[in-house]
Amino acid sequence: MIWIIGGTKDSRDFIESFPDKDKLIVTTATEYGGKLLEDFSVKVFCKRLLPKEMEEFIENNQIKKIVDLSHPYAVEVSQNAMNCAKIKEIEYVRFERVNLETEDENAIELHSVEDIVLYVEELEGNILVTLGSNNIEKFSKLKNLKNIYFRILPKWEMVKKAEDSGILPRNIIAQQGPFSYKMNLAQIEDLNIKYVVSKKGGDTGGEKEKIQATKAANAVSILLTRPSIIYPCVFETVEDVISHLINKK
């Protein structure tokens, strides 16, 4: 069996194109990630696996290869999967979205969420944060929290997490992306946003449209740089991943 670490649109694209779907078994960290795959007849397990659980999963499902299509910022998942592949002496293959060159020369790039939080606290004007809900509590103590809007997925537990972090309902934008240039621009202008905080999520994550809209609105992009990881085997297109797997049968 081939273990697909999924939960992203990339994993959906891979499964849709892979010819031998009966050889695939998929894990996602959330039920939302599993719902992305409801149209396919593949086994899906929705659970965030710890390293020991990963090893057990490999043994119980006779895994011969791991294909990691997790989010570019899911560092811990990728590192744990690589370590498990070494321990079990099986192949690990990574799909990594192309890291786009930033088209805005005025964009500010920072290397951690903590750095972004410190930087944002000193800003004046409205700020749109599009980092998702995982790090939302790190913004909760900021003195300018009332000026910060958070765009997150429209899931109850994520909205509750935002509210539990002291964020007012009017500052929560619960919508599912990716967002077009026009949609981004409309939100930025409507909320009088001066700064947009986002990840370098690549084309799949709508990075280009967001940066272009921010620039068009004369706002400033604040970007969380991608983690730097060395993978033993990595491809930048789903097609190349599939070709590699088929040719190594």
Side-chain angles (χ1 to χ4, degrees):
M1 295 292 285
I2 301 173
W3 174 16
I4 306 302
I5 302 177
T8 59
K9 183 179 181 299
D10 305 312
S11 62
R12 178 184 169 85
D13 293 342
F14 171 88
I15 293 167
E16 187 173 24
S17 300
F18 195 75
D20 299 321
K21 293 179 180 53
D22 58 325
K23 295 181 179 178
L24 305 179
I25 186 167
V26 187
T27 59
T28 68
T30 64
E31 290 185 7
Y32 170 78
K35 287 182 179 179
L36 293 174
L37 307 175
E38 286 180 342
D39 295 339
F40 304 108
S41 56
V42 293
K43 293 181 180 178
V44 181
F45 292 87
C46 303
K47 189 178 187 299
R48 196 181 300 272
L49 299 177
L50 298 173
K52 192 65 180 176
E53 291 174 318
M54 286 184 169
E55 292 181 37
E56 293 171 355
F57 184 84
I58 290 169
E59 293 174 4
N60 295 338
N61 294 283
Q62 299 180 316
I63 302 297
K64 303 301 181 186
K65 300 177 190 289
I66 300 174
V67 181
D68 183 0
L69 292 116
S70 61
H71 195 277
Y73 290 82
V75 178
E76 187 176 358
V77 172
S78 295
Q79 289 176 334
N80 288 342
M82 282 190 282
N83 290 336
C84 284
K86 284 183 182 179
I87 292 170
K88 296 299 182 182
E89 298 182 336
I90 60 175
E91 185 181 15
Y92 170 95
V93 180
R94 170 65 174 166
F95 165 79
E96 182 76 346
R97 299 174 189 172
V98 175
N99 199 357
L100 302 175
E101 288 293 326
T102 304
E103 297 181 357
D104 185 354
E105 63 279 3
N106 296 317
I108 298 164
E109 296 194 4
L110 298 173
H111 301 295
S112 72
V113 175
E114 289 75 15
D115 287 342
I116 288 175
V117 170
L118 290 173
Y119 186 83
V120 160
E121 187 166 25
E122 302 305 319
L123 299 177
E124 295 182 0
N126 291 343
I127 303 159
L128 175 62
V129 175
T130 64
L131 298 178
S133 62
N134 285 341
N135 296 296
I136 209 164
E137 69 279 358
K138 294 179 181 179
F139 293 84
S140 63
K141 303 299 182 183
L142 297 189
K143 60 188 178 184
N144 56 343
L145 185 61
K146 67 180 189 324
N147 296 331
I148 305 176
Y149 294 83
F150 296 86
R151 193 164 75 186
I152 59 178
L153 285 171
K155 295 195 68 183
W156 176 84
E157 60 266 32
M158 295 180 182
V159 173
K160 185 178 186 301
K161 186 176 183 180
E163 291 183 335
D164 289 346
S165 298
I167 299 163
L168 296 174
R170 71 177 183 84
N171 289 60
I172 300 171
I173 303 169
Q175 291 180 315
Q176 182 176 342
F179 299 90
S180 67
Y181 165 81
K182 288 184 177 180
M183 184 65 171
N184 281 306
L185 183 59
Q187 284 191 340
I188 293 168
E189 290 183 337
D190 185 57
L191 297 172
N192 193 25
I193 298 296
K194 301 302 180 185
Y195 301 89
V196 178
V197 181
S198 59
K199 296 176 180 176
K200 290 179 65 63
D203 276 337
T204 304
E207 175 187 340
K208 187 181 298 183
E209 292 81 0
K210 197 183 303 180
I211 291 174
Q212 288 174 345
T214 302
K215 186 176 182 179
N218 293 317
V220 177
S221 289
I222 301 173
L223 304 173
L224 176 62
T225 58
R226 278 206 203 168
S228 180
I229 303 177
I230 298 175
Y231 299 103
C233 181
V234 59
F235 298 96
E236 292 184 334
T237 70
V238 166
E239 292 76 18
D240 284 345
V241 175
I242 293 173
S243 177
H244 172 79
L245 294 173
I246 291 174
N247 292 334
K248 288 200 69 176
K249 282 183 178 179

